């Protein structure tokens, strides 16, 4: 007998698209008139981090908006971006951002509970590291789960993969 139908719930971002958005934001900050002479810059920090610096709090926030705009144009959900508050560092202001991937344990438990409570009968969700595997006896039940999870907001960008 064939295995029961299943799909995975993941939270991943396309690193190349994030890279492209970063470079576009960097280029726009260098060429836009309202950023000239403000010392505004965007730099990578670590594997998935970005640091935005400027001389004023307003300009650093505006630079963050430019970066967010570029991410949206590249189909990267803003739920995947964790941006801190502007903080003063000497004479400059900084915002540290991090691109998040994976579903943390607390959110995975919340999603699993939601599927158990509100999903069709016979649907099971298992936490597997930073993703969830959802199985059911019928594919229609899986489609119903996908539909109602798209309506919910768990504070993390969800993708549904490996549907079989």
């Amino acid at each position: 007998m064939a295995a029961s139908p299943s799909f995975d719930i993941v939270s991943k971002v396309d690193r190349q698209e994030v890279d492209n958005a970063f470079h576009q934001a960097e280029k726009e900050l260098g060429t836009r008139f309202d950023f000239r002479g403000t010392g505004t810059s965007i730099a990578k920090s670590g594997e998935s981090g970005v640091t935005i610096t400027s001389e004023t709090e307003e300009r650093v926030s505006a630079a963050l908006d430019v970066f967010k705009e570029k991410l949206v144009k590249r189909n990267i959900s803003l739920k995947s971006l964790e941006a801190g508050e502007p903080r003063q560092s000497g004479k400059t202001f900084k915002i540290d951002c991090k691109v998040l991937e994976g579903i943390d344990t607390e959110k995975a438990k919340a999603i699993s509970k939601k599927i158990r409570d509100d999903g069709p009968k016979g649907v099971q969700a298992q936490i597997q590291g930073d993703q969830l595997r959802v199985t059911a006896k019928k594919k229609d039940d899986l489609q119903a789960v996908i539909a109602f999870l798209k309506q919910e907001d768990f504070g993390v960008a969800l993708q549904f993969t490996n549907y079989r």
Side-chain angles (χ1 to χ4, degrees):
M1 185 172 148
S4 51
S6 68
F7 69 90
D8 294 334
I9 303 173
V10 298
S11 180
K12 295 194 183 308
V13 295
D14 185 348
R15 289 276 174 211
Q16 185 61 49
E17 292 297 337
V18 172
D19 230 24
N20 291 341
F22 169 79
H23 291 301
Q24 285 179 337
E26 186 177 42
K27 187 174 182 180
E28 185 169 325
L29 293 177
T31 58
R32 263 182 45 181
F33 177 76
D34 56 337
F35 286 110
R36 281 205 189 119
T38 61
T40 304
S41 66
I42 183 169
K44 289 193 176 206
S45 59
E47 176 81 17
S48 61
V50 173
T51 302
I52 303 170
T53 58
S54 186
E55 293 174 359
T56 66
E57 192 171 347
E58 293 80 27
R59 288 293 97 200
V60 79
S61 296
L64 176 61
D65 290 341
V66 168
F67 183 52
K68 284 180 178 178
E69 175 187 316
K70 300 302 178 192
L71 287 173
V72 168
K73 282 187 179 177
R74 295 246 164 222
N75 293 325
I76 304 292
S77 172
L78 291 181
K79 291 179 183 176
S80 300
L81 181 72
E82 183 180 86
E85 292 297 314
R87 59 180 168 78
Q88 193 161 5
S89 174
K91 291 186 176 182
T92 61
F93 286 86
K94 288 184 177 183
I95 295 180
D96 293 319
C97 305
K98 188 172 172 100
V99 179
L100 303 174
E101 280 195 296
I103 303 170
D104 68 19
T105 308
E106 291 302 314
K107 287 189 172 63
K109 285 180 181 176
I111 295 169
S112 179
K113 182 174 178 1
K114 185 73 173 169
I115 291 170
R116 253 193 335 266
D117 294 347
D118 298 345
K121 295 283 183 240
V123 176
Q124 297 174 335
Q126 302 161 323
I127 300 171
Q128 297 179 335
D130 62 352
Q131 68 182 23
L132 280 93
R133 164 87 29 103
V134 180
T135 56
K137 294 202 183 310
K138 296 187 289 187
K139 285 189 174 188
D140 291 345
D141 291 344
L142 293 180
Q143 290 173 339
V145 169
I146 291 173
F148 90 75
L149 285 179
K150 285 183 177 179
Q151 305 299 318
E152 296 294 321
D153 181 19
F154 294 100
V156 64
L158 298 178
Q159 292 90 32
F160 306 100
T161 62
N162 231 358
Y163 186 80
R164 21 183 131 123

